[in-house]
mmCIF file of all heavy atoms in Angstrom:
data_model
loop_
_atom_site.group_PDB
_atom_site.id
_atom_site.type_symbol
_atom_site.label_atom_id
_atom_site.label_comp_id
_atom_site.label_asym_id
_atom_site.label_seq_id
_atom_site.Cartn_x
_atom_site.Cartn_y
_atom_site.Cartn_z
ATOM 1 N N LEU Q 60 3.185 30.393 20.809
ATOM 2 C CA LEU Q 60 3.539 31.459 19.863
ATOM 3 C C LEU Q 60 3.695 32.770 20.624
ATOM 4 O O LEU Q 60 2.962 33.034 21.579
ATOM 5 C CB LEU Q 60 2.417 31.603 18.812
ATOM 6 C CG LEU Q 60 2.186 30.367 17.941
ATOM 7 C CD1 LEU Q 60 1.006 30.631 16.946
ATOM 8 C CD2 LEU Q 60 3.445 29.979 17.150
ATOM 9 N N PRO Q 61 4.584 33.615 20.151
ATOM 10 C CA PRO Q 61 4.771 34.928 20.803
ATOM 11 C C PRO Q 61 3.576 35.855 20.417
ATOM 12 O O PRO Q 61 2.882 35.634 19.414
ATOM 13 C CB PRO Q 61 6.027 35.476 20.188
ATOM 14 C CG PRO Q 61 6.149 34.761 18.835
ATOM 15 C CD PRO Q 61 5.565 33.370 19.077
ATOM 16 N N SER Q 62 3.374 36.843 21.231
ATOM 17 C CA SER Q 62 2.362 37.832 20.929
ATOM 18 C C SER Q 62 2.992 38.937 20.133
ATOM 19 O O SER Q 62 4.220 39.120 20.123
ATOM 20 C CB SER Q 62 1.718 38.368 22.178
ATOM 21 O OG SER Q 62 2.743 39.017 22.990
ATOM 22 N N PHE Q 63 2.141 39.756 19.455
ATOM 23 C CA PHE Q 63 2.640 40.863 18.686
ATOM 24 C C PHE Q 63 1.627 41.974 18.767
ATOM 25 O O PHE Q 63 0.477 41.817 18.318
ATOM 26 C CB PHE Q 63 2.916 40.493 17.243
ATOM 27 C CG PHE Q 63 3.266 41.653 16.349
ATOM 28 C CD1 PHE Q 63 4.204 42.616 16.677
ATOM 29 C CD2 PHE Q 63 2.580 41.789 15.133
ATOM 30 C CE1 PHE Q 63 4.474 43.640 15.848
ATOM 31 C CE2 PHE Q 63 2.876 42.827 14.300
ATOM 32 C CZ PHE Q 63 3.839 43.762 14.679
ATOM 33 N N ASP Q 64 2.013 43.090 19.309
ATOM 34 C CA ASP Q 64 1.118 44.255 19.398
ATOM 35 C C ASP Q 64 1.522 45.257 18.297
ATOM 36 O O ASP Q 64 2.548 45.881 18.362
ATOM 37 C CB ASP Q 64 1.286 44.916 20.747
ATOM 38 C CG ASP Q 64 0.469 46.181 20.891
ATOM 39 O OD1 ASP Q 64 -0.404 46.431 19.991
ATOM 40 O OD2 ASP Q 64 0.623 46.972 21.883
ATOM 41 N N PRO Q 65 0.727 45.291 17.227
ATOM 42 C CA PRO Q 65 1.073 46.210 16.099
ATOM 43 C C PRO Q 65 1.180 47.651 16.503
ATOM 44 O O PRO Q 65 1.800 48.439 15.787
ATOM 45 C CB PRO Q 65 -0.039 45.927 15.057
ATOM 46 C CG PRO Q 65 -1.194 45.394 15.847
ATOM 47 C CD PRO Q 65 -0.587 44.643 16.993
ATOM 48 N N ALA Q 66 0.481 48.001 17.548
ATOM 49 C CA ALA Q 66 0.515 49.396 17.993
ATOM 50 C C ALA Q 66 1.943 49.822 18.446
ATOM 51 O O ALA Q 66 2.266 51.002 18.392
ATOM 52 C CB ALA Q 66 -0.501 49.683 19.113
ATOM 53 N N SER Q 67 2.713 48.851 18.800
ATOM 54 C CA SER Q 67 4.079 49.183 19.254
ATOM 55 C C SER Q 67 5.104 49.070 18.125
ATOM 56 O O SER Q 67 6.340 49.266 18.374
ATOM 57 C CB SER Q 67 4.524 48.197 20.350
ATOM 58 O OG SER Q 67 4.562 46.887 19.881
ATOM 59 N N ALA Q 68 4.697 48.772 16.881
ATOM 60 C CA ALA Q 68 5.610 48.614 15.755
ATOM 61 C C ALA Q 68 6.269 49.938 15.409
ATOM 62 O O ALA Q 68 5.627 51.001 15.504
ATOM 63 C CB ALA Q 68 4.845 48.097 14.598
ATOM 64 N N PRO Q 69 7.531 49.895 14.994
ATOM 65 C CA PRO Q 69 8.242 51.105 14.609
ATOM 66 C C PRO Q 69 7.642 51.759 13.372
ATOM 67 O O PRO Q 69 6.837 51.164 12.691
ATOM 68 C CB PRO Q 69 9.657 50.659 14.415
ATOM 69 C CG PRO Q 69 9.533 49.214 14.068
ATOM 70 C CD PRO Q 69 8.383 48.715 14.843
ATOM 71 N N ALA Q 70 8.082 52.978 13.050
ATOM 72 C CA ALA Q 70 7.552 53.670 11.926
ATOM 73 C C ALA Q 70 8.012 53.125 10.597
ATOM 74 O O ALA Q 70 7.385 53.358 9.531
ATOM 75 C CB ALA Q 70 7.990 55.188 11.984
ATOM 76 N N GLU Q 71 9.112 52.384 10.553
ATOM 77 C CA GLU Q 71 9.649 51.776 9.357
ATOM 78 C C GLU Q 71 9.763 50.246 9.523
ATOM 79 O O GLU Q 71 9.925 49.764 10.633
ATOM 80 C CB GLU Q 71 11.041 52.364 9.002
ATOM 81 C CG GLU Q 71 10.963 53.886 8.765
ATOM 82 C CD GLU Q 71 12.313 54.419 8.338
ATOM 83 O OE1 GLU Q 71 13.293 53.676 8.418
ATOM 84 O OE2 GLU Q 71 12.396 55.594 7.982
ATOM 85 N N PRO Q 72 9.739 49.534 8.404
ATOM 86 C CA PRO Q 72 9.773 48.037 8.563
ATOM 87 C C PRO Q 72 11.131 47.454 8.908
ATOM 88 O O PRO Q 72 11.166 46.386 9.482
ATOM 89 C CB PRO Q 72 9.311 47.603 7.133
ATOM 90 C CG PRO Q 72 9.647 48.732 6.233
ATOM 91 C CD PRO Q 72 9.489 49.985 7.039
ATOM 92 N N LEU Q 73 12.235 48.092 8.491
ATOM 93 C CA LEU Q 73 13.532 47.506 8.695
ATOM 94 C C LEU Q 73 13.852 47.151 10.153
ATOM 95 O O LEU Q 73 14.276 46.031 10.454
ATOM 96 C CB LEU Q 73 14.629 48.353 8.094
ATOM 97 C CG LEU Q 73 16.062 47.770 8.222
ATOM 98 C CD1 LEU Q 73 16.194 46.406 7.547
ATOM 99 C CD2 LEU Q 73 17.038 48.772 7.562
ATOM 100 N N PRO Q 74 13.612 48.077 11.109
ATOM 101 C CA PRO Q 74 13.916 47.751 12.508
ATOM 102 C C PRO Q 74 13.069 46.578 12.992
ATOM 103 O O PRO Q 74 13.566 45.716 13.766
ATOM 104 C CB PRO Q 74 13.572 49.002 13.282
ATOM 105 C CG PRO Q 74 13.707 50.105 12.262
ATOM 106 C CD PRO Q 74 13.232 49.494 10.990
ATOM 107 N N LEU Q 75 11.814 46.478 12.580
ATOM 108 C CA LEU Q 75 10.994 45.340 12.995
ATOM 109 C C LEU Q 75 11.483 44.040 12.378
ATOM 110 O O LEU Q 75 11.531 42.987 13.033
ATOM 111 C CB LEU Q 75 9.520 45.594 12.603
ATOM 112 C CG LEU Q 75 8.518 44.496 13.107
ATOM 113 C CD1 LEU Q 75 8.596 44.334 14.586
ATOM 114 C CD2 LEU Q 75 7.101 44.928 12.707
ATOM 115 N N PHE Q 76 11.957 44.096 11.113
ATOM 116 C CA PHE Q 76 12.520 42.903 10.482
ATOM 117 C C PHE Q 76 13.734 42.404 11.258
ATOM 118 O O PHE Q 76 13.858 41.207 11.558
ATOM 119 C CB PHE Q 76 12.916 43.184 9.047
ATOM 120 C CG PHE Q 76 13.650 42.033 8.394
ATOM 121 C CD1 PHE Q 76 12.922 40.992 7.837
ATOM 122 C CD2 PHE Q 76 15.035 42.018 8.342
ATOM 123 C CE1 PHE Q 76 13.602 39.919 7.232
ATOM 124 C CE2 PHE Q 76 15.703 40.940 7.813
ATOM 125 C CZ PHE Q 76 14.997 39.892 7.230
ATOM 126 N N VAL Q 77 14.624 43.337 11.613
ATOM 127 C CA VAL Q 77 15.821 42.960 12.342
ATOM 128 C C VAL Q 77 15.489 42.331 13.679
ATOM 129 O O VAL Q 77 16.060 41.328 14.104
ATOM 130 C CB VAL Q 77 16.800 44.186 12.575
ATOM 131 C CG1 VAL Q 77 17.952 43.823 13.427
ATOM 132 C CG2 VAL Q 77 17.260 44.677 11.170
ATOM 133 N N GLU Q 78 14.469 42.932 14.377
ATOM 134 C CA GLU Q 78 14.004 42.362 15.641
ATOM 135 C C GLU Q 78 13.482 40.969 15.481
ATOM 136 O O GLU Q 78 13.844 40.072 16.266
ATOM 137 C CB GLU Q 78 12.963 43.312 16.238
ATOM 138 C CG GLU Q 78 12.384 42.846 17.547
ATOM 139 C CD GLU Q 78 11.260 43.751 18.068
ATOM 140 O OE1 GLU Q 78 11.274 44.944 17.687
ATOM 141 O OE2 GLU Q 78 10.427 43.272 18.841
ATOM 142 N N TRP Q 79 12.582 40.789 14.528
ATOM 143 C CA TRP Q 79 12.026 39.448 14.306
ATOM 144 C C TRP Q 79 13.038 38.468 13.866
ATOM 145 O O TRP Q 79 12.996 37.285 14.277
ATOM 146 C CB TRP Q 79 10.881 39.557 13.284
ATOM 147 C CG TRP Q 79 9.568 39.977 13.912
ATOM 148 C CD1 TRP Q 79 9.363 40.768 15.010
ATOM 149 C CD2 TRP Q 79 8.231 39.658 13.416
ATOM 150 N NE1 TRP Q 79 8.008 40.945 15.215
ATOM 151 C CE2 TRP Q 79 7.295 40.305 14.241
ATOM 152 C CE3 TRP Q 79 7.789 38.907 12.330
ATOM 153 C CZ2 TRP Q 79 5.925 40.183 14.052
ATOM 154 C CZ3 TRP Q 79 6.419 38.820 12.109
ATOM 155 C CH2 TRP Q 79 5.502 39.443 12.967
ATOM 156 N N PHE Q 80 13.996 38.872 13.074
ATOM 157 C CA PHE Q 80 15.039 37.966 12.614
ATOM 158 C C PHE Q 80 15.872 37.496 13.793
ATOM 159 O O PHE Q 80 16.159 36.281 13.948
ATOM 160 C CB PHE Q 80 15.920 38.671 11.575
ATOM 161 C CG PHE Q 80 16.979 37.748 10.964
ATOM 162 C CD1 PHE Q 80 16.672 36.980 9.882
ATOM 163 C CD2 PHE Q 80 18.251 37.713 11.513
ATOM 164 C CE1 PHE Q 80 17.637 36.117 9.331
ATOM 165 C CE2 PHE Q 80 19.177 36.871 10.930
ATOM 166 C CZ PHE Q 80 18.879 36.068 9.868
ATOM 167 N N ALA Q 81 16.283 38.413 14.677
ATOM 168 C CA ALA Q 81 17.085 38.102 15.817
ATOM 169 C C ALA Q 81 16.279 37.133 16.742
ATOM 170 O O ALA Q 81 16.870 36.215 17.363
ATOM 171 C CB ALA Q 81 17.475 39.346 16.609
ATOM 172 N N GLU Q 82 15.017 37.350 16.890
ATOM 173 C CA GLU Q 82 14.187 36.468 17.715
ATOM 174 C C GLU Q 82 14.034 35.101 17.107
ATOM 175 O O GLU Q 82 13.967 34.079 17.816
ATOM 176 C CB GLU Q 82 12.809 37.117 17.969
ATOM 177 C CG GLU Q 82 12.893 38.337 18.853
ATOM 178 C CD GLU Q 82 11.548 39.041 19.026
ATOM 179 O OE1 GLU Q 82 10.560 38.598 18.420
ATOM 180 O OE2 GLU Q 82 11.497 40.051 19.723
ATOM 181 N N ALA Q 83 14.001 34.994 15.775
ATOM 182 C CA ALA Q 83 13.956 33.677 15.131
ATOM 183 C C ALA Q 83 15.256 32.939 15.340
ATOM 184 O O ALA Q 83 15.227 31.721 15.609
ATOM 185 C CB ALA Q 83 13.733 33.861 13.613
ATOM 186 N N VAL Q 84 16.371 33.639 15.273
ATOM 187 C CA VAL Q 84 17.668 32.985 15.572
ATOM 188 C C VAL Q 84 17.718 32.511 16.996
ATOM 189 O O VAL Q 84 18.092 31.348 17.291
ATOM 190 C CB VAL Q 84 18.848 33.989 15.293
ATOM 191 C CG1 VAL Q 84 20.164 33.362 15.731
ATOM 192 C CG2 VAL Q 84 18.859 34.362 13.812
ATOM 193 N N ALA Q 85 17.295 33.381 17.918
ATOM 194 C CA ALA Q 85 17.303 33.005 19.364
ATOM 195 C C ALA Q 85 16.361 31.833 19.672
ATOM 196 O O ALA Q 85 16.636 31.007 20.577
ATOM 197 C CB ALA Q 85 16.932 34.186 20.224
ATOM 198 N N ALA Q 86 15.274 31.665 18.904
ATOM 199 C CA ALA Q 86 14.339 30.611 19.107
ATOM 200 C C ALA Q 86 14.764 29.313 18.460
ATOM 201 O O ALA Q 86 14.112 28.254 18.604
ATOM 202 C CB ALA Q 86 12.960 31.009 18.509
ATOM 203 N N GLY Q 87 15.931 29.296 17.788
ATOM 204 C CA GLY Q 87 16.447 28.067 17.190
ATOM 205 C C GLY Q 87 15.866 27.755 15.826
ATOM 206 O O GLY Q 87 15.952 26.593 15.410
ATOM 207 N N GLN Q 88 15.318 28.743 15.147
ATOM 208 C CA GLN Q 88 14.742 28.486 13.859
ATOM 209 C C GLN Q 88 15.784 28.011 12.900
ATOM 210 O O GLN Q 88 16.902 28.639 12.747
ATOM 211 C CB GLN Q 88 14.066 29.732 13.280
ATOM 212 C CG GLN Q 88 13.571 29.648 11.857
ATOM 213 C CD GLN Q 88 12.476 28.579 11.731
ATOM 214 O OE1 GLN Q 88 11.453 28.668 12.435
ATOM 215 N NE2 GLN Q 88 12.656 27.658 10.862
ATOM 216 N N THR Q 89 15.613 26.900 12.194
ATOM 217 C CA THR Q 89 16.548 26.413 11.227
ATOM 218 C C THR Q 89 16.709 27.307 10.025
ATOM 219 O O THR Q 89 15.671 27.713 9.458
ATOM 220 C CB THR Q 89 16.181 24.984 10.776
ATOM 221 O OG1 THR Q 89 16.051 24.133 11.911
ATOM 222 C CG2 THR Q 89 17.201 24.416 9.798
ATOM 223 N N GLU Q 90 17.911 27.704 9.701
ATOM 224 C CA GLU Q 90 18.204 28.542 8.514
ATOM 225 C C GLU Q 90 17.221 29.706 8.393
ATOM 226 O O GLU Q 90 16.529 29.840 7.356
ATOM 227 C CB GLU Q 90 18.168 27.647 7.276
ATOM 228 C CG GLU Q 90 19.190 26.571 7.266
ATOM 229 C CD GLU Q 90 19.245 25.760 6.018
ATOM 230 O OE1 GLU Q 90 18.337 25.923 5.132
ATOM 231 O OE2 GLU Q 90 20.154 24.934 5.805
ATOM 232 N N PRO Q 91 17.178 30.581 9.362
ATOM 233 C CA PRO Q 91 16.232 31.709 9.296
ATOM 234 C C PRO Q 91 16.595 32.688 8.166
ATOM 235 O O PRO Q 91 15.744 33.528 7.798
ATOM 236 C CB PRO Q 91 16.374 32.389 10.641
ATOM 237 C CG PRO Q 91 17.728 32.029 11.070
ATOM 238 C CD PRO Q 91 17.982 30.626 10.599
#
Side-chain angles (χ1 to χ4, degrees):
L60 299 178
S62 61
F63 172 49
D64 179 8
S67 65
E71 298 183 353
L73 181 59
L75 185 56
F76 174 83
V77 174
E78 178 184 336
W79 277 26
F80 185 86
E82 291 176 358
V84 173
Q88 175 63 56
T89 303
E90 298 183 351

